[in-house]
Amino acid sequence: GGHGDESEVHNRLYSRDGSRRTFTCQRLPGSYHGSGCTLASALAGRIAFG
């Protein structure tokens, strides 16, 4: 994700065994500030909840 000027978004998954996977998709047109932050916050809350 992030707020860059690149035409693609690269999301990375880091595993406990040291492996890393990269998922790439086209960036959506427009500005969606906060959408990733909202998702991360929701996931963190769910993990904390158990």
Side-chain angles (χ1 to χ4, degrees):
H3 304 282
D5 293 328
E6 300 85 18
S7 62
E8 292 183 334
V9 176
H10 302 276
N11 294 297
R12 293 179 180 89
L13 174 64
Y14 297 89
S15 299
R16 290 183 180 167
D17 65 3
S19 63
R20 181 179 82 175
R21 292 185 61 190
T22 301
F23 303 89
T24 304
C25 62
Q26 292 295 313
R27 185 175 299 278
L28 294 173
S31 179
Y32 301 97
H33 179 73
S35 56
C37 302
T38 302
L39 175 61
S41 177
L43 292 173
R46 182 64 184 150
I47 290 169
F49 183 70

